[in-house]
Amino acid sequence: MNNINFQDIKEAFLKSKKYWLIYLLLITIMGLSTISKRNFTDPSFEILIFVIVAIFGILSITFYFSNNNKNELHKVAFVIIIIFGITAALIVPICDVSDEWEHLTRAEITSQGVLIPHWTGDEVGIDRMYNESNEGKYSSLLNPNVGFETIQSLTFFTQNREKTVFDIDGDTDKIDHTKFVDGSAFEQNPFFGYLPQAIGIFIAKLLDLNVIWILWLGRIGNLICYATLISLAVRKTPVLKMPLLAVACIPITIYQAASVSIDSMIIGLGILAIAYFIYMIKADEKSIELKDVAVFTVICLLLGLCKLTYLAFIFMLLIVPRNNFAFEKALPVSLGSISIVAIIGILWSRYSTPTLMHSWRSKLNWVSSSDQLSYLVHNPMFAWKFITQIFTTDLAWMIYGVFNFFSAGSKYHYANTYYLITGMLLLFLLVILVLYPENNRFSKKTRLGSLLVLLIVYVGTCFVQLLTWSSVGYLQLGINTRYFVPLIALIPIIAAFKYFDWDKSRFDNYSIVFILAFMAALILAFTTKYY
């Protein structure tokens, strides 16, 4: 990248004046829509955060205009995700993200160099955290003192969920390395999904920082990995760079990326897989080498090991035109890749599924995959209700979830609804995903194939939830928007049409403003809610 002197920065700042003024107007409107009476008692912190995101936005827009060509957007992607993401990592309350405390436990265990957590119940012949009982929907027969060996300091986070550092005192305590057994540690997830978080936690322990830095550096490590994956995706795809960036920066996505959850790895790898798919679709004839297929296969495999239903992304190889491959046996190679991914996925599921009982999930008395399947077979209307629900009420909830933040800690976390921001965000996504002024259009085969992959992943994920989460005969699937963010990135391939003759350069300029404004709205919403 060429060195940018002060004069270049000044010119970019002045050139982008209209756009950062629009940004300031947007965050003012959206920020005001999140406030309540309590924010008027002492608004100093809220004002401070507003000023910070305002400055960050202006700097980001200036940086974008100083790198305003399609070959530089990946740098902009990395920078904006990092600066807004780190702010979110520090603002979002302790273990606020869904199951973040359990992800933190797994990340801490990984930071010890333990790639596969050891279930201590094996030594005493115990294979589940809760014993089965007939007491009701949930079992209370806990097997004490079995679980996974971590450190005592993690109890600080479980005891202070959804609190900020201003609400507690123990955040300044030093890290307590005393051994402690935690009952749940996401044993079913692959270790590589926690390496970035583990590196951050290892640094916190190495430098003997205060206990809160276990969470903060774990979140920041995860965020850097996510920003890198998205930067690679934006760089790799030859078209639809801005729509992919918009999906990557949806507030619910940044919320996950700025946590220690493995979901950010799923989203990042998913978007990277789609970028690589677009690259292969748009490649010149006879230009795709065997190494390209190998890279795509590895990405899909890593993605699928994090969330099994995403193994279906490997089927996108069959959509790539055969003429694009530089070798003759493209179909056998593609089928070979699919077979490898399928076999490894099946073997992984045989390992990971039983480990669900090594966690709090074993308390779900009425959950049984075999009984649920039997109920489906003997009650066809139940199957119809399942299909109907996932394409009506559940789908509507997924759409609403683009600006809906929650954890499993408290029902009160659901109290805040942000209708104005959600409406604006959905309208923006509709425009940039469906009406993006890209001259490159995809063939009918590509569109239909991508739609089929989307449906396989969506329905498959819902079906897995039906078998592993919902009680027998019930349809509480527990699905969330974060599960399906990569599928949103398929929409421009499937449904994009050029309805308006918009100037692409100006469209991108306005798009980056809205992308930044919605990330700022995420931070403002948490500031006004918790501070």
Side-chain angles (χ1 to χ4, degrees):
M1 186 176 74
N2 294 329
N3 292 326
I4 300 175
N5 59 35
F6 180 77
Q7 186 62 32
D8 294 328
I9 296 173
K10 180 180 178 181
E11 289 178 3
F13 176 78
L14 295 175
K15 180 181 177 182
S16 62
K17 180 180 178 181
K18 177 179 72 173
Y19 296 100
W20 54 255
L21 286 175
I22 294 173
Y23 168 80
L24 293 177
L25 177 62
L26 285 173
I27 64 171
T28 300
I29 294 171
M30 289 191 284
L32 289 174
S33 74
T34 70
I35 63 174
S36 60
K37 290 183 190 178
R38 61 184 295 276
N39 300 123
F40 291 97
T41 305
D42 182 11
S44 55
F45 189 74
E46 289 90 333
I47 293 172
L48 173 64
I49 296 300
F50 180 87
V51 172
I52 289 173
V53 296
I55 294 172
F56 283 170
I58 293 172
L59 292 176
S60 297
I61 292 170
T62 302
F63 182 69
Y64 169 76
F65 272 85
S66 65
N67 295 271
N68 195 8
N69 67 76
K70 72 175 186 177
N71 295 321
E72 303 290 336
L73 187 60
H74 65 282
K75 299 175 184 177
V76 177
F78 184 85
V79 169
I80 65 175
I81 290 173
I82 289 295
I83 62 174
F84 282 91
I86 288 179
T87 309
L90 301 177
I91 286 291
V92 172
I94 294 169
C95 290
D96 182 86
V97 179
S98 183
D99 297 324
E100 191 173 16
W101 63 272
E102 189 176 357
H103 289 295
L104 185 63
T105 301
R106 177 61 188 276
E108 193 287 318
I109 293 172
T110 306
S111 76
Q112 300 176 28
V114 179
L115 302 185
I116 301 177
H118 174 65
W119 169 252
T120 62
D122 290 340
E123 284 82 9
V124 290
I126 296 176
D127 63 356
R128 54 190 294 143
M129 185 174 175
Y130 283 84
N131 289 321
E132 294 181 271
S133 72
N134 295 319
E135 297 177 2
K137 188 174 181 179
Y138 302 104
S139 174
S140 60
L141 302 178
L142 173 66
N143 288 313
N145 302 319
V146 294
F148 305 92
E149 193 172 87
T150 179
I151 61 174
Q152 184 67 39
S153 275
L154 290 200
T155 59
F156 163 81
F157 299 102
T158 56
Q159 293 167 0
N160 293 288
R161 294 172 66 184
E162 296 187 18
K163 295 179 181 178
T164 73
V165 291
F166 297 130
D167 300 326
I168 53 177
D169 298 320
D171 58 298
T172 57
D173 293 343
K174 290 297 181 180
I175 298 171
D176 185 349
H177 296 267
T178 305
K179 297 300 180 183
F180 171 75
V181 175
D182 197 325
S184 301
F186 273 118
E187 183 187 3
Q188 70 272 21
N189 289 338
F191 74 90
F192 59 81
Y194 295 96
L195 285 177
Q197 305 92 306
I199 292 171
I201 293 171
F202 177 79
I203 292 172
K205 293 192 289 187
L206 181 67
L207 299 179
D208 193 27
L209 300 177
N210 295 340
V211 65
I212 191 64
W213 286 99
I214 287 180
L215 177 66
W216 283 350
L217 287 184
R219 284 177 169 179
I220 291 170
N222 202 23
L223 178 72
I224 293 172
C225 176
Y226 178 75
T228 301
L229 290 173
I230 297 306
S231 180
L232 289 173
V234 173
R235 184 174 187 174
K236 189 65 178 179
T237 183
V239 297
L240 299 178
K241 290 178 180 288
M242 192 62 76
L244 288 190
L245 178 59
V247 173
C249 294
I250 293 172
I252 188 63
T253 305
I254 298 299
Y255 176 62
Q256 295 295 326
S259 75
V260 294
S261 172
I262 198 175
D263 288 320
S264 69
M265 181 71 76
I266 297 170
I267 296 169
L269 286 172
I271 293 175
L272 180 59
I274 292 170
Y276 220 93
F277 169 62
I278 297 173
Y279 159 75
M280 292 191 293
I281 287 288
K282 293 297 182 181
D284 296 331
E285 289 189 9
K286 307 297 182 182
S287 65
I288 300 176
E289 304 286 348
L290 192 60
K291 65 179 181 180
D292 296 316
V293 177
V295 170
F296 181 73
T297 301
V298 170
I299 294 171
C300 291
L301 179 60
L302 295 177
L303 171 62
L305 292 180
C306 292
K307 200 165 192 65
L308 282 172
T309 51
Y310 276 100
L311 290 171
F313 268 30
I314 192 64
F315 290 127
M316 291 193 288
L317 271 178
L318 300 177
I319 307 172
V320 179
R322 300 277 76 86
N323 292 338
N324 289 9
F325 293 93
F327 45 91
E328 293 183 2
K329 297 183 179 180
L331 181 58
V333 169
S334 297
L335 293 176
S337 295
I338 292 170
S339 300
I340 291 171
V341 169
I343 291 170
I344 296 176
I346 291 170
L347 292 175
W348 180 257
S349 68
R350 289 172 65 90
Y351 157 76
S352 63
T353 301
T355 64
L356 293 172
M357 294 300 99
H358 297 167
S359 71
W360 59 267
R361 295 163 188 82
S362 63
K363 76 191 302 183
L364 305 174
N365 275 340
W366 295 353
V367 173
S368 169
S369 297
S370 57
D371 290 344
Q372 191 76 286
L373 283 171
S374 177
Y375 190 86
L376 275 168
V377 171
H378 293 93
N379 297 272
M381 285 305 298
F382 182 70
W384 174 247
K385 284 178 63 179
F386 165 73
I387 293 297
T388 302
Q389 178 175 306
I390 66 174
F391 285 105
T392 53
T393 55
D394 283 349
L395 182 59
W397 177 250
M398 296 305 100
I399 295 172
Y400 173 71
V402 292
F403 203 86
N404 182 35
F405 315 102
F406 70 94
S407 78
S410 165
K411 65 180 181 180
Y412 301 108
H413 199 90
Y414 294 84
N416 290 70
T417 52
Y418 303 99
Y419 295 120
L420 174 65
I421 301 175
T422 301
M424 292 173 64
L425 178 55
L426 290 175
L427 180 60
F428 169 69
L429 289 175
L430 176 66
V431 172
I432 197 168
L433 297 179
V434 179
L435 303 178
Y436 188 70
E438 188 87 72
N439 291 326
N440 296 279
R441 287 295 173 251
F442 298 90
S443 67
K444 184 178 292 185
K445 174 189 173 182
T446 301
R447 291 171 182 266
L448 292 177
S450 300
L451 176 61
L452 180 60
V453 170
L454 182 151
L455 291 174
I456 290 173
V457 175
Y458 180 69
V459 176
T461 302
C462 294
F463 187 68
V464 169
Q465 289 293 108
L466 179 69
L467 298 182
T468 61
W469 181 260
S470 186
S471 300
V472 175
Y474 292 85
L475 290 171
Q476 302 100 340
L477 303 180
I479 55 175
N480 294 282
T481 305
R482 68 181 188 274
Y483 296 171
F484 307 113
V485 170
L487 300 186
I488 301 175
L490 285 174
I491 293 177
I493 301 174
I494 298 167
F497 296 96
K498 192 173 182 180
Y499 289 108
F500 302 100
D501 188 22
W502 285 324
D503 178 79
K504 182 176 179 295
S505 178
R506 292 183 63 191
F507 190 97
D508 284 348
N509 293 345
Y510 285 110
S511 294
I512 201 72
V513 171
F514 277 90
I515 289 170
L516 293 168
F518 289 121
M519 288 198 290
L522 159 69
I523 296 166
L524 293 173
F526 272 87
T527 302
T528 56
K529 180 177 176 65
Y530 285 104
Y531 294 87

